[in-house]
Amino acid sequence: MAMEFTKYHGLGNDFILIDNRSSSEPIVTPEQAVKLCDRHFGIGADGVIFALPGENGTDYTMRIFNSDGSEPEMCGNGIRCFAAFVAELEGSSQKSLYRIHTLAGVITPQMMPDGQVKVDMGIPRLFAGEIPTSLALVDEKVINQPLEVAGQTWLVTCVSMGNPHCITFVDDVAAIPLEAIGPQFEHHSVFPQRTNTEFIEVVRPDYVKMRVWERGAGITLACGTGACASLVAGVLTGRCDRKATVELPGGPLLIEWSEVDQRLYMTGPAQKVFTGTAII
Ligand code: ZDP
């Protein structure tokens, strides 16, 4: 079967976008998504994202498969690409603000006049039971908790942006052997749903460098939910301002944890790369 797709990236975190508005189920299976994401035998991407009809009064539903075929609840860079994608599908009738149903609740991206996308990412969840992790009791927070990985003790802070994140602060983010230790965090027994892992170097309270090992996708050039979770961890541990630039290998994201409504706002780019027809 031939299937139209559009390729987008947000700071090098790249996705295959599919117009799935005529069906409430993804038209691609997780197995097909794995093949489409393959960088040698497929299109190449960190994930496949579907624009489905809205549920519960929202404009659209977003679903995503990671490059390993697993389904995360949310995707921050992906939802910026999603907003740019549906705005183009709608053409002249496009709106500037969209309400998107996701497995992590309703997320609201807004198209800014300068072409950037600002996303209301919702309220971070901090209880161990919500991450989920067995590092603390279900109604306790995990802040600066020791965790043994690869023969070393890491102080970790856990934050859910709908999807699980484990954040650890380091002196030199470039020196972290991500490929070797990332999988050991991802599959650690204290994370029953696996986890995304962020390594953060605080340069200034309003400027941090981040590298990420993503659950189900490995090393990626950027992670929007991870940047939000990392700012929250930085604030909770007294390292960061509530508004900071998170510098990723693919470029910067501006993240703000609002004191007013306790929600996270992420601003960054979404870039269309090409369209094509895949054989699945
Ligand atoms: O939680 C997960 O399994 C992630 N791999 C989902 C993707 C997150 C992402 N990098 C983001 O920008 O939030 C796309």
Side-chain angles (χ1 to χ4, degrees), residues 98-160:
Y98 290 100
R99 295 183 71 245
I100 312 295
H101 177 80
T102 75
L103 295 178
V106 177
I107 307 289
T108 323
Q110 183 178 6
M111 311 300 291
M112 305 305 277
D114 64 357
Q116 297 262 107
V117 187
K118 180 175 182 179
V119 187
D120 173 352
M121 298 281 283
I123 296 175
R125 287 155 242 194
L126 302 175
F127 292 126
E130 300 175 297
I131 305 299
T133 177
S134 59
L135 269 171
L137 297 175
V138 284
D139 56 354
E140 285 178 356
K141 296 174 185 171
V142 179
I143 299 172
N144 274 335
Q145 285 257 129
L147 178 66
E148 291 290 326
V149 179
Q152 238 180 294
T153 303
W154 307 77
L155 293 180
V156 303
T157 298
C158 296
V159 177
S160 170

Side-chain angles (χ1 to χ4, degrees), residues 62 75 83 137 182 186 206 226 244 251:
M62 177 176 88
C75 175
L137 297 175
E186 179 182 358
D206 67 348

Side-chain angles (χ1 to χ4, degrees), residues 5-131:
F5 69 89
T6 307
K7 184 78 195 292
Y8 275 83
H9 77 87
L11 300 178
N13 190 195
D14 59 342
F15 304 100
I16 299 161
L17 275 290
I18 299 190
D19 179 0
N20 208 124
R21 289 176 296 174
S22 56
S23 163
S24 57
E25 281 304 314
I27 58 172
V28 166
T29 64
E31 295 72 30
Q32 289 170 328
V34 172
K35 290 188 182 149
L36 291 171
C37 288
D38 190 286
R39 296 193 184 278
H40 302 287
F41 295 96
I43 301 161
D46 294 326
V48 181
I49 294 178
F50 305 90
L52 304 136
E55 286 171 45
N56 309 330
T58 56
D59 298 308
Y60 294 96
T61 298
M62 177 176 88
R63 286 183 59 187
I64 166 171
F65 294 145
N66 283 318
S67 53
D68 76 348
S70 61
E71 180 169 14
E73 302 80 356
M74 234 305 270
C75 175
N77 286 316
I79 205 155
R80 294 198 316 278
C81 296
F82 185 102
F85 178 62
V86 296
E88 185 165 310
L89 288 179
E90 291 177 359
S92 56
S93 61
Q94 66 178 251
K95 312 202 286 184
S96 66
L97 190 76
Y98 290 100
R99 295 183 71 245
I100 312 295
H101 177 80
T102 75
L103 295 178
V106 177
I107 307 289
T108 323
Q110 183 178 6
M111 311 300 291
M112 305 305 277
D114 64 357
Q116 297 262 107
V117 187
K118 180 175 182 179
V119 187
D120 173 352
M121 298 281 283
I123 296 175
R125 287 155 242 194
L126 302 175
F127 292 126
E130 300 175 297
I131 305 299

